[in-house]
Each structure stands twice: as structure tokens, then as C-alpha cells.
Amino acid sequence: MSVSIDISGLSQDRIHVVPSPLAELGMALHALSEPGHHPGLQGWATAVSTRLDPCLADRMCEADFLWRSTFSDVFAPFAGIPGQTTLPGATLAEELDLLDKLTDEQFVDAALEFTCQSTYAEPNRQLLSDPAVQQRALDLAAARGPHQVLFTKRLLDDPPVVRAWLRNLLQDCDEAFFADTWARLSHQLAADARHKTELLRRKGLAETLKAISGAVSLDESGSLITVDKITSGRTTTGAGGLVLVPTSLGWPHLMVLHRKGWQASITYPISAPGLTAPPTVEQLTRRMSALAHPVRMRLCRHLARGAYTTSELADAHGMTAPEISRHLSVLKKAGLITTRRRGRYVQHQLDISVVSRLGSDFIEGVLR
């Protein structure tokens, strides 16, 4: 599983690394609504939440489907501008102006991408003209609660009114808490953008993507970007560009905008806790699968306590050495055990550090 971007024919001058105030505001709203996704931001989230005006907090709850479970493309309006070459604005006001330039169809289509039953890849859904498509949107909204049904009806019936309401909400969020946050973070994001731009100029796209995240890679032909995620998707830059957007509040999320007809974009966190690179989705799947077998779980009980040979483990478990070897091979391929030679004996031991990270690795993998 992965999301890929076909960049065949894309020249380096059409690749840009640009911070986005609106995207960062979206990340801030997400962190406030889902603090469990961002343990490093819980202090900030608590401080902001405790001083929020109750009226503003209620208004934020009305539209939180735009940023709670998914991250709506309304926070990347530059990507929807015709020509697919527009860049994020330097200020929030500029980006809200870009949001106003989206058609009602674009805005509604992006705003109603709020359930796990994704319609992301469906072209020309005609949300504002097809009653059957509208009814499906309302049915999906019903599973999220009555207030979401009401909001969806309002959005389908009168998009301009809801768009104006949302713009006012985002401006009020800026005044209440985000302006101070952006003033603190913007210099860090700008510095990262300059660094990645210079890296792109000196060492090329492959090295730049590697610096962005170990989950992003460029194939040998230089024509396909692959982002390792527990989802599938594909897009192409075509005659447009590619925008890389750094975020300070976004870890562990690594997001790829691949909506049909919109400019391709990757939003990446500029820092992450820990010193080790996150495992790939394939590695994570292999590790969890390896531990799911009851025999291998029992083996891990011994291997967690010390180093043992295959023969010792076979005796302890009443199995043959070849059977134990097959199980050890699975654990070793998953990177869960280490092996060392002591004279003529080969000893195996559980890598406690890798196993202890499995929970956080899983969470990062599914949130990536």
C-alpha cells in the first residue's frame, strides 16, 4: 500500500518547498480536537483550549469534521486553482483569498470528504446537481451525528453562506490563538523550506525527499514518487507542479494531496521525536504478523530473558530444531531478534528496543 505521484517530465523549477499558514492552522485545529495524536503538543493544546471563548469553541465543533478524522483539502486551496501551478500564500489572508477562488463544486467536494468511505478518487461527483449523490453525502453524514447532517444540508443548499461562515471562523481562530502560534513557528518553517530548496538545487529531488521523510522515495528512473502509507492512491503532476509543505504541528501525519484535477502536494513534519527512522508499512506488517503466532510468542518469552541456541529452545518447547529454526527465521526477517556466535554456538535474543517501539510504530504508521 502506498500513494504514488507520477512526475514524468517534471522539471526542477516546478518543484517548490513553501510553508502554508492555512495548512498549519488546519494542523492546529486537528491537534486541538485530537490531542492524543500529538502527545508532544498536549501542553500547547491545553493552554489554548482553556482560554478559548466558549462561543468560538462551539463554532469550531460545528465544523470539526474538516480536520478531526481527515484533513480536508480546503486547507490547501492553492492546489485547486486552475493550471496547477499556484503556490500557498505568504499570509493567512492570502490563502483565504485563494480559498474564495475555488468553485462551489470544488469547495463542497473537498469539504464533504469526511468519512472512511472515501470518494476521493471519484471524478465529477456533481454534488450540487445530482440528487442521488447529495443523498449519499447526507447518509454518510448521518453516521457522524445530527449536527453534521445539518451542516451538510446547509453546505449543499447554500455553499456561499457556509463558505463565508467558515472564513469568518478561521479568521476568528487566527485572532484567538493562531496568530501567536504562527509568529512562533513561521521562522522555523521558512528555514526548513530554504534548507530543502537548497538541497533540491544541490543534490536533486531524491535526496530532498529522503530528507523530508524515510517514508518518501523516488524510483531509479526519477519519474515516480512513492509515499509509504497504509492507504492507496495515485496522481500525476502532468503540466502542473509539485509543492512540498513543511509543518511544525503535524507529526506524525505525512499527507499527500492526490485529488483528481488538483496540484500534487506533500505535507511533511519537519521534526519528529526519537532518533530512529520509522519502519515501513511492510516492516510493520511483518513484525506484527511474526508475533501473532502462538509458538513465536512463547519463544519470545525465553528470548526476552536471555540469549539461547536453537537446540536449547527446541528442548524447552518440545519441538525439533528445524521447526524452531523456521520460527526464528520469521522473527529474524521481521527484525525482532538478534543473533550472535559464541564459539561453535549461535545464540538468539529478542531485540527489546524494537519490540518496545511496536505500539508507537503502529500508531505512527496508521496516522502517517
Side-chain angles (χ1 to χ4, degrees), residues 92-312:
L92 182 63
E94 289 178 19
E95 295 218 270
L96 292 176
D97 288 343
L98 290 177
L99 185 59
D100 289 342
K101 291 181 179 180
L102 297 183
T103 66
D104 284 346
E105 187 75 37
Q106 283 180 304
F107 180 87
V108 173
D109 190 51
L112 292 185
E113 185 57 42
F114 53 72
T115 81
C116 59
Q117 304 178 53
S118 179
T119 52
Y120 199 78
E122 295 179 13
N124 306 318
R125 286 202 294 158
Q126 299 180 322
L127 268 163
L128 298 181
S129 58
D130 189 329
V133 176
Q134 291 185 344
Q135 187 57 53
R136 173 166 168 74
L138 290 168
D139 291 342
L140 293 175
R144 318 294 283 192
H147 83 279
Q148 188 140 338
V149 174
L150 180 61
F151 194 97
T152 302
K153 284 181 177 177
R154 289 170 53 205
L155 186 56
L156 292 171
D157 291 342
D158 199 344
V161 169
V162 176
R163 294 178 68 167
W165 179 90
L166 180 63
R167 177 168 181 142
N168 287 334
L169 171 64
L170 296 177
Q171 288 173 328
D172 289 347
C173 287
D174 183 49
E175 183 177 344
F177 65 87
F178 182 68
D180 290 341
T181 301
W182 180 250
R184 177 171 53 85
L185 299 178
S186 58
H187 303 294
Q188 183 185 21
L189 294 172
D192 184 84
R194 286 193 299 271
H195 170 68
K196 297 297 191 303
T197 300
E198 181 62 17
L199 189 62
L200 176 66
R201 185 186 68 80
R202 290 189 295 107
K203 295 192 175 181
L205 182 58
E207 289 298 317
T208 304
L209 295 176
K210 190 184 298 183
I212 282 174
S213 170
V216 187
S217 61
L218 183 67
D219 71 348
E220 290 184 2
S221 70
S223 61
L224 189 70
I225 296 173
T226 300
V227 184
D228 190 47
K229 290 172 69 73
I230 306 181
T231 187
S232 298
R234 186 177 180 88
T235 190
T236 178
T237 53
L242 172 67
V243 182
L244 308 175
V245 181
T247 170
S248 181
L249 301 176
W251 186 89
H253 305 301
L254 176 66
M255 295 174 298
V256 188
L257 195 162
H258 56 286
R259 182 177 293 276
K260 184 177 176 63
W262 289 43
Q263 184 175 192
S265 172
I266 300 174
T267 300
Y268 65 93
I270 63 173
S271 60
L275 300 176
T276 57
T280 65
V281 171
E282 182 183 359
Q283 288 172 324
L284 182 60
T285 303
R286 190 183 296 129
R287 287 172 184 175
M288 299 187 75
S289 177
L291 291 173
H293 197 286
V295 171
R296 291 194 283 272
M297 288 188 70
R298 290 198 299 272
L299 286 174
C300 286
R301 184 175 183 275
H302 281 88
L303 297 171
R305 288 166 166 76
Y308 293 91
T309 66
T310 302
S311 297
E312 288 176 311

Side-chain angles (χ1 to χ4, degrees), residues 21-34:
L22 183 56
E24 200 69 359
L25 173 54
M27 289 294 186
L29 290 167
H30 171 70
L32 290 172
S33 62
E34 288 287 1

